[in-house]
Amino acid sequence: MEEHKDGQRSERMNERNGFILLSLAALVITVVSAAAFTVPGGSDSGGIPNLLLKLAFTIFAISDTLTLFSSITSVLMFLGILTSRYAEEDFLVSLPRKLIIGLTTLFFSIASMMVGFGATVFISLYHKWNLVFIPIALVGFVPVTLFALLQFPL
């Protein structure tokens, strides 16, 4: 009887954590998709970004793309957790593997989103205030560092 209660408790905990992490990954996808269509620096009348040939824009575009694909991978892993059959062997191999892959890709997506943020801040501020963007970009990496410190002990 005790094993059955432990199994139900583990199932509820996995579903709750999977849903929370799935929501976070979906939020990242939403933000990154919006950023992809509102490019920094604007576009000309033909829809071509004005800063297309700038290195900062290239960094923004690459990090935005990496964020999108890693967030989608993360969502798929967390969906796999939510739709799991929760058999005993799943708790030993399948669910931990999906959780590790999901958390790793979620961390990567948040880190690459912050790189895109730094590139956008640079694009916005480099001509006005030369060195102000450096502390702003560094402060932007505080969430990534906190997330890493809190998740890696798992």
Side-chain angles (χ1 to χ4, degrees):
M1 187 68 167
E2 185 66 30
E3 290 177 6
H4 183 66
K5 286 184 180 179
D6 286 342
Q8 285 179 334
R9 191 168 6 122
S10 296
E11 184 177 338
R12 281 194 310 270
M13 186 179 74
N14 273 334
E15 285 178 351
R16 182 190 55 148
N17 289 342
F19 182 73
I20 290 169
L21 293 169
L22 175 71
S23 301
L24 177 61
L27 179 64
V28 171
I29 290 172
T30 304
V31 169
V32 169
S33 296
F37 292 107
T38 54
V39 295
S43 302
D44 63 10
S45 60
I48 297 172
N50 293 329
L51 302 174
L52 185 62
L53 301 177
K54 300 283 186 187
L55 178 62
F57 182 80
T58 304
I59 292 171
F60 164 77
I62 290 171
S63 67
D64 198 51
T65 304
L66 290 174
T67 301
L68 182 64
F69 289 126
S70 59
S71 293
I72 290 171
T73 303
S74 183
V75 164
L76 292 174
M77 290 298 109
F78 296 134
L79 276 175
I81 290 172
L82 290 176
T83 59
S84 176
R85 55 192 167 101
Y86 295 107
E88 187 174 334
E89 61 271 5
D90 287 344
F91 283 100
L92 295 174
V93 178
S94 177
L95 290 176
R97 182 183 302 138
K98 289 176 184 176
L99 184 62
I100 289 170
I101 292 171
L103 284 173
T104 303
T105 55
L106 181 61
F107 173 75
F108 182 76
S109 70
I110 291 173
S112 58
M113 183 173 63
M114 295 313 294
V115 170
F117 168 77
T120 304
V121 168
F122 178 78
I123 289 169
S124 301
L125 299 179
Y126 80 97
H127 59 284
K128 294 179 185 173
W129 304 304
N130 275 343
L131 299 176
V132 172
F133 72 90
I134 293 172
I136 292 173
L138 290 175
V139 170
F141 282 96
V142 170
V144 174
T145 306
L146 287 175
F147 183 79
L149 292 174
L150 293 174
Q151 293 300 325
F152 283 140
L154 291 177

